Amino acid sequence: MAAAKKAVLGPLVGAVDQGTSSTRFLVFNSKTAELLSHHQVEIKQEFPREGWVEQDPKEILHSVYECVEKTCEKLGQLNIDISNIKAIGVSNQRETTVVWDKLTGEPLYNAVVWLDLRTQSTVESLSKRIPGNNNFVKSKTGLPLSTYFSAVKLRWILDNVRKVQKAVEENRALFGTVDSWLIWSLTGGVNGGVHCTDVTNASRTMLFNIHSLEWDKELCEFFGIPMEILPNVRSSSEIYGLMKISHSLKAGALEGVPISGCLGDQSAALVGQMCFQDGQAKNTYGTGCFLLCNTGHKCVFSEHGLLTTVAYKLGRNKPVFYALEGSVAIAGAVIRWLRDNLGIIKTSEEIEKLAKEVGTSYGCYFVPAFSGLYAPYWDPSARGIICGLTQFTNKCHIAFAALEAVCFQTREILDAMNRDCGIPLSHLQVDGGMTSNKILMQLQADILYIPVVKPSMPETTALGAAMAAGAAEGVGVWSLEPEDLSAVTMERFEPQINAEESEIRYSTWKKAVMKSMGWVTTQSPESGIP
């Protein structure tokens, strides 16, 4: 029987999904898109100083090895032959910046995470050098100058970390976002590792021209970044290299398998939600919240605080697609904060129970501007506030307000998207870890006042990376033709409150946001480096 079962499955595709708070490896059936097995490991975040967020690149890499190994073991228990894995895709937290030594394979500094704020003064001094009448940074990259993107993080590292300066001088340094670090390491590292990235990740560095699809000399000069440390930019779906793991891990079982898909996590979710048509959109609830709308082959520039970014390019000779993006820094991270910093829940799942107990925030509003405010405000000086407190307020109300905050922030970016596109979305496609929270999904439908639609398999980010890998030229086990894409079962949440109540709550939220803004002044102690 076992042999028969092994034969039935056909080609499988693996996906590494390296997020801000965890790493996963998932294996899909390329013919049915069914998830067969996966393993997940939480990643430590280090906060060495106020506003600083770092991760250990080696811990990130080892978490990938561990997830691959454990998933392969689980497949073995299910009697599934791992030699059926024909390709591997990589999806990753974007913007997070890694610099490593190409001779030793060792990181030269911790990864500076996208949420990190240490570069605020770097941003301020750079912005003085952009002519008011010609914001060439924004017109070339689609991005506002912000602590969020890689170029300013890299600039800070070059200015402040002697080890990195020395490695650059001696031509030993390589820069990359997390995808580049992983692909280089997984394809052999010091033994011939491939130093590359894809167009979606490159478009988040602020060094990449999204029109010509190449590193931009003028931008590199502006930020003072030596071009020789940058990875080669490739499409999101092609064979970059083969798995070649230098140590004796069981992960070595995948030796020789092509790594053939690479997408920043939000692009991967757009692909995994099958948003291939102009005007289709998805919202992913992870550490942050990211609403992306496919704008087809044209770059649409926002009038309302959204980013213009590369959505995907699914093959060397395939056309590039662009997206408008609404980025919210803190969504799931607020739940982790309630768990790790306040200790009012022991596991993230408990938030639903607390919120259910009260069923309302009772006039309490929580603006989690821990890393300033991203879209649509882009106010780096905002900080988190909890307001509207009375003696009646308890931890359940704060838990409920935290969930509402995720929904209100989504409504703000959805409103901006509707204004930019001119055609309001009739429903919202959602995915990501938090979507398993039914209270959150119902709240989201109530606050947006449109239905919220969620696929029954929430791992769309990994699915998107697997699709890109399986569809790559030379792999060809996954068809992206519309007639071949498997129908996805969906769960729908319809709005249940009246529109008027929805509007009142939303306008109170906006009042709270105003109170969180302009909090940090340059004189504040936190902006100085001790």
Side-chain angles (χ1 to χ4, degrees), residues 10-286:
L12 312 179
V13 178
V16 172
D17 180 3
Q18 204 300 301
T20 314
S21 51
S22 71
T23 300
R24 304 194 260 293
F25 182 68
L26 306 92
V27 174
F28 296 92
N29 179 332
S30 67
K31 297 296 170 234
T32 62
E34 178 197 0
L35 174 59
L36 298 176
S37 185
H38 67 102
H39 188 76
Q40 178 168 358
V41 174
E42 198 168 295
I43 296 283
K44 271 206 297 292
Q45 298 191 32
E46 297 169 33
F47 307 102
R49 293 181 190 168
E50 188 161 24
W52 292 31
V53 190
E54 296 180 2
Q55 289 176 339
D56 174 358
K58 294 192 79 165
E59 185 194 343
I60 290 176
L61 181 60
H62 287 294
S63 71
V64 171
Y65 291 146
E66 186 182 340
C67 289
V68 169
E69 204 175 304
K70 292 285 200 302
T71 305
C72 287
E73 279 172 21
K74 291 177 184 177
L75 288 171
Q77 287 156 12
L78 294 168
N79 238 343
I80 295 169
D81 189 348
I82 57 175
S83 68
N84 284 332
I85 297 176
K86 300 302 181 203
I88 290 168
V90 173
S91 136
N92 57 289
Q93 51 170 320
R94 303 170 305 170
E95 300 96 16
T96 295
T97 299
V98 188
V99 183
W100 68 96
D101 185 321
K102 65 180 172 193
L103 303 181
T104 64
E106 292 293 309
L108 293 163
Y109 193 66
N110 266 349
V112 179
V113 176
W114 57 278
L115 285 164
D116 185 281
L117 295 179
R118 77 188 65 185
T119 53
Q120 190 46 43
S121 56
T122 313
V123 167
E124 283 161 16
S125 61
L126 284 167
S127 64
K128 294 190 179 106
R129 293 173 35 213
I130 298 178
N133 58 354
N134 173 23
N135 188 340
F136 65 95
V137 176
K138 189 158 191 200
S139 57
K140 286 179 177 213
T141 65
L143 311 171
L145 194 55
S146 156
T147 57
Y148 180 20
F149 308 107
S150 319
V152 289
K153 300 178 193 297
L154 187 51
R155 179 68 260 149
W156 186 94
I157 292 171
L158 291 169
D159 286 340
N160 292 281
V161 184
R162 181 68 198 118
K163 229 170 122 179
V164 172
Q165 294 161 357
K166 199 165 169 325
V168 170
E169 286 156 20
E170 294 170 8
N171 201 16
R172 292 182 282 114
L174 295 178
F175 152 78
T177 40
V178 170
D179 54 307
S180 301
W181 163 241
L182 292 179
I183 292 173
W184 184 83
S185 303
L186 294 171
T187 54
V190 291
N191 303 311
V194 177
H195 188 217
C196 69
T197 186
D198 88 298
V199 287
T200 67
N201 280 298
S203 77
R204 313 299 291 193
T205 59
M206 257 189 153
L207 300 169
F208 185 71
N209 186 315
I210 61 174
H211 311 285
S212 65
L213 300 183
E214 51 198 15
W215 298 122
D216 190 288
K217 199 161 171 295
E218 187 186 11
L219 290 170
C220 290
E221 280 165 10
F222 176 73
F223 289 105
I225 306 299
M227 291 182 84
E228 56 277 8
I229 71 175
L230 303 178
N232 287 320
V233 183
R234 316 271 288 266
S235 78
S236 314
S237 175
E238 58 177 273
I239 296 175
Y240 312 111
L242 307 181
M243 284 284 275
K244 178 167 144 195
I245 297 178
S246 39
H247 42 74
S248 61
L249 264 169
K250 299 194 193 78
L254 299 181
E255 191 79 20
V257 176
I259 298 179
S260 52
C262 178
L263 289 154
D265 53 9
Q266 302 313 321
S267 285
L270 194 72
V271 171
Q273 286 264 31
M274 328 260 176
C275 296
F276 294 127
Q277 305 295 317
D278 190 344
Q280 286 185 301
K282 65 87 207 169
N283 195 36
T284 300
Y285 299 76

Side-chain angles (χ1 to χ4, degrees), residues 332-408:
V334 72
I335 314 303
R336 193 165 169 170
W337 183 83
L338 290 174
R339 183 193 75 183
D340 297 348
N341 297 37
L342 289 198
I344 65 173
I345 47 175
K346 284 195 179 61
T347 67
S348 300
E349 290 68 47
E350 270 176 57
I351 186 116
E352 194 166 2
K353 203 167 94 237
L354 283 189
K356 211 176 195 148
E357 268 176 53
V358 284
T360 167
S361 61
Y362 213 82
C364 165
Y365 286 79
F366 188 163
V367 183
F370 300 159
S371 291
L373 286 167
Y374 283 16
Y377 302 102
W378 297 104
D379 178 7
S381 66
R383 285 298 174 271
I385 59 165
I386 301 177
C387 55
L389 302 175
T390 66
Q391 279 163 310
F392 183 74
T393 313
N394 64 30
K395 64 180 184 181
C396 299
H397 299 115
I398 290 173
F400 198 94
L403 294 180
E404 276 189 320
V406 174
C407 301
F408 285 131

Side-chain angles (χ1 to χ4, degrees), residues 297-316:
H297 304 310
K298 57 187 187 299
C299 281
V300 175
F301 282 88
S302 170
E303 301 291 312
H304 302 98
L306 304 179
L307 311 176
T308 304
T309 202
V310 175
Y312 52 81
K313 180 181 183 341
L314 294 173
R316 241 182 255 197

